């Protein structure tokens, strides 16, 4: 896999998202770009999209600031997998095996390129309402990406992350 290192931005976070579409809907990066242009964005809000067949597609260049997580776009990379809702439209971890494999490969590469970046989910950057240093489910502004990215990718986190309380 080619290197994704092509930005001079300081990358503190690699933020995982879902497209909030049903698991049986096969959308592509072109669809997501079209939705974002309709919302007035200049390009796809995410840097990378993992489609349902596992294809990793470029949304916008890593050199550009994304449009995917309020207050955290400047110093982050946004990755979206297609899915996040079950067939009835309820939030669910709908990643299939191909998507899980691609996410793992992609995050392994990005961890090499940005070893200080914390991998987390969009919901983990919700406001800490009670100030206890933890973002708990009752504080989630969204369920996105519908799984616990910090734990799932614990092996790809910056050295020392779990020794102290992460601050952001
Ligand atoms: Zn999101």
């Amino acid at each position: 896999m080619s290197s994704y290192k092509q930005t001079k931005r300081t990358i503190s976070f690699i933020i995982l998202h879902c497209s909030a579409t049903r698991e049986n809907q096969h959308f592509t990066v072109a669809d997501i770009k079209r939705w974002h242009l309709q919302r007035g964005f200049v390009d796809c809000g995410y840097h990378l999209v993992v489609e349902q067949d596992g294809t990793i597609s470029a949304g916008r260049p890593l050199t550009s600031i994304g449009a995917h997580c309020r207050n955290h776009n400047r110093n982050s990379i946004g990755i979206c997998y297609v899915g996040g809702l079950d067939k009835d439209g309820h939030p669910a971890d709908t990643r299939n095996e191909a998507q899980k494999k691609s996410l793992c490969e992609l995050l392994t590469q990005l961890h090499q390129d940005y070893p200080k970046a914390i991998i987390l989910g969009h919901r983990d950057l919700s406001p800490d309402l009670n100030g206890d240093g933890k973002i708990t489910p009752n504080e989630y502004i969204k369920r996105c990406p519908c799984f616990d990215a910090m734990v799932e990718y614990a092996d790809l986190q910056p050295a020392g992350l779990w020794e102290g309380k992460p601050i952001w």
Side-chain angles (χ1 to χ4, degrees):
M1 181 183 295
S2 63
S3 174
Y4 289 91
K5 189 172 191 175
Q6 44 180 288
T7 173
K8 291 197 171 86
R9 291 192 295 132
T10 298
I11 302 299
S12 304
F13 303 115
I14 296 169
I15 305 174
L16 277 285
H17 298 265
C18 63
S19 60
T21 51
R22 298 180 190 217
E23 59 183 323
N24 52 347
Q25 295 176 307
H26 296 271
F27 293 113
T28 67
V29 69
D31 295 310
I32 293 173
K33 179 173 179 173
R34 194 178 69 249
W35 301 334
H36 286 181
L37 291 178
Q38 284 168 356
R39 285 168 59 182
F41 296 8
V42 294
D43 199 348
C44 177
Y46 309 113
H47 294 95
L48 295 153
V49 172
V50 178
E51 298 175 357
Q52 285 181 318
D53 64 357
T55 300
I56 300 169
S57 298
R60 71 170 68 186
L62 295 186
T63 45
S64 302
I65 295 172
H68 56 91
C69 185
R70 195 172 184 176
N71 297 329
H72 298 283
N73 286 309
R74 184 170 300 279
N75 61 343
S76 69
I77 292 169
I79 302 172
C80 175
Y81 75 92
V82 174
L85 300 178
D86 66 18
K87 290 186 175 67
D88 299 318
H90 301 302
D93 179 4
T94 63
R95 292 171 302 153
N96 58 40
E97 289 310 310
Q99 287 177 306
K100 286 182 181 177
K101 184 167 178 287
S102 292
L103 279 168
C104 221
E105 290 173 1
L106 180 57
L107 291 170
T108 299
Q109 180 68 57
L110 289 172
H111 176 59
Q112 286 173 19
D113 291 345
Y114 305 98
K116 293 182 178 167
I118 299 172
I119 297 169
L120 38 61
H122 189 183
R123 68 187 190 186
D124 299 313
L125 290 166
S126 302
D128 181 15
L129 297 177
N130 64 5
D132 69 352
K134 296 193 187 96
I135 308 301
T136 46
N138 61 306
E139 293 168 330
Y140 292 164
I141 45 174
K142 288 183 171 187
R143 300 288 293 277
C144 176
C146 304
F147 70 96
D148 194 340
M150 293 191 81
V151 169
E152 177 147 345
Y153 302 114
D155 293 346
L156 299 174
Q157 299 290 6
L161 175 65
W162 305 106
E163 290 161 20
K165 189 172 77 174
I167 304 288
W168 54 77

